[in-house]
Amino acid sequence: GAGVSQSPSNKVTEKGKDVELRCDPISGHTALYWYRQSLGQGLEFLIYFQGNSAPDKSGLPSDRFSAERTGGSVSTLTIQRTQQEDSAVYLCASSLVGSSYEQYFGPGTRLTVT
Amino acid sequence: LAKTTQPISMDSYEGQEVNITCSHNNIATNDYITWYQQFPSQGPRFIIQGYKTKVTNEVASLFIPADRKSSTLSLPRVSLSDTAVYYCLVGAGYSTLTFGKGTMLLVSP
């Protein structure tokens, strides 16, 4: 069956520009997560959705980062006024209900800010 | 949130059994223990999950002592393709899971 998909797979942008990253979770999964991973580092939690609401936004690094989820399905992560330190792989995952259930990860979006 | 501690790296040879231990001293009563595997340029992949005692699947075994303050992921007869980063996580329900930096396992011929 279809897994988690993310688009674009790669994004190169100039410093100061806004970017939108998209995540399509597995159908029926109510929980959705965004993480980012810098080169050689572990996964850094960004935000977690349960349905369309985000009970945990604690990982968003600054107010330049925002995310929304509509219809309990697709989610977009928006980074405004990108900085070079935003360069990383952004990973999306979904799970059936909550975080104690198996999370299925997408292939990620590699963001490069020049 | 329960914090986990695991070795930064481990080395092994093909055919050996590898045991990676994770410490989680402040695990909560309803927390589960979950292990993920990540290959380069890929997202993590679920390996195994347990609550207590021992869990085994086709890929690995997970040993959890009675106090649940640690857990050990056991990979039988590793191959070169088992070279990856392994993450130990604890959590339950809707709590946020922290992946940390994981354990880099290098399997050599």
Side-chain angles (χ1 to χ4, degrees):
Chain A
V4 177
S5 62
Q6 293 185 245
S7 60
S9 56
N10 280 286
K11 176 71 176 179
V12 180
T13 190
E14 292 181 351
K15 177 182 172 180
K17 300 279 189 181
D18 297 352
V19 294
E20 271 193 4
L21 311 180
R22 176 186 169 109
C23 172
D24 281 272
I26 293 173
S27 177
H29 281 193
T30 61
L32 185 147
Y33 313 82
W34 283 99
Y35 300 88
R36 75 175 175 181
Q37 188 168 35
S38 302
L39 190 62
Q41 301 298 309
L43 274 73
E44 176 187 3
F45 167 79
L46 298 178
I47 189 169
Y48 155 58
F49 286 93
Q50 187 62 35
N52 290 335
S53 64
D56 192 346
K57 305 179 183 179
S58 63
L60 294 177
S62 75
D63 58 8
R64 295 187 295 106
F65 287 72
S66 62
E68 65 174 12
R69 188 180 186 194
T70 55
S73 181
V74 172
S75 176
T76 56
L77 176 69
T78 301
I79 308 173
Q80 296 178 311
R81 305 180 302 281
T82 52
Q83 304 294 314
Q84 288 186 331
E85 61 263 28
D86 299 334
S87 296
V89 175
Y90 289 80
L91 290 159
C92 173
S94 70
S95 69
L96 194 58
V97 179
S99 58
S100 60
Y101 291 82
E102 179 177 350
Q103 293 186 38
Y104 294 81
F105 282 79
T109 293
R110 182 174 297 278
L111 175 66
T112 303
V113 182
T114 61
Chain B
L1 296 175
K3 183 179 177 180
T4 61
T5 303
Q6 52 184 124
I8 294 174
S9 64
M10 293 183 69
D11 296 322
S12 184
Y13 293 96
E14 283 189 293
Q16 290 190 333
E17 177 184 79
V18 171
N19 296 307
I20 306 175
T21 296
C22 179
S23 297
H24 27 80
N25 291 318
N26 60 339
I27 188 170
T29 302
N30 56 348
D31 281 345
Y32 282 79
I33 300 157
T34 311
W35 286 79
Y36 284 80
Q37 173 191 56
Q38 186 179 26
F39 297 114
S41 302
Q42 295 185 26
R45 182 176 71 110
F46 173 93
I47 301 176
I48 196 166
Q49 183 181 76
Y51 183 79
K52 63 180 180 181
T53 62
K54 176 184 174 183
V55 179
T56 298
N57 61 22
E58 65 277 6
V59 176
S61 294
L62 179 59
F63 297 93
I64 306 168
D67 66 5
R68 303 200 328 123
K69 293 184 182 299
S70 67
S71 59
T72 299
L73 175 72
S74 181
L75 304 172
R77 299 177 299 282
V78 294
S79 64
L80 297 177
S81 62
D82 292 317
T83 293
V85 177
Y86 292 82
Y87 298 95
C88 163
L89 300 89
V90 295
Y94 304 113
S95 67
T96 301
L97 297 180
T98 301
F99 273 78
K101 294 189 177 181
T103 297
M104 176 65 219
L105 173 65
L106 176 62
V107 180
S108 300

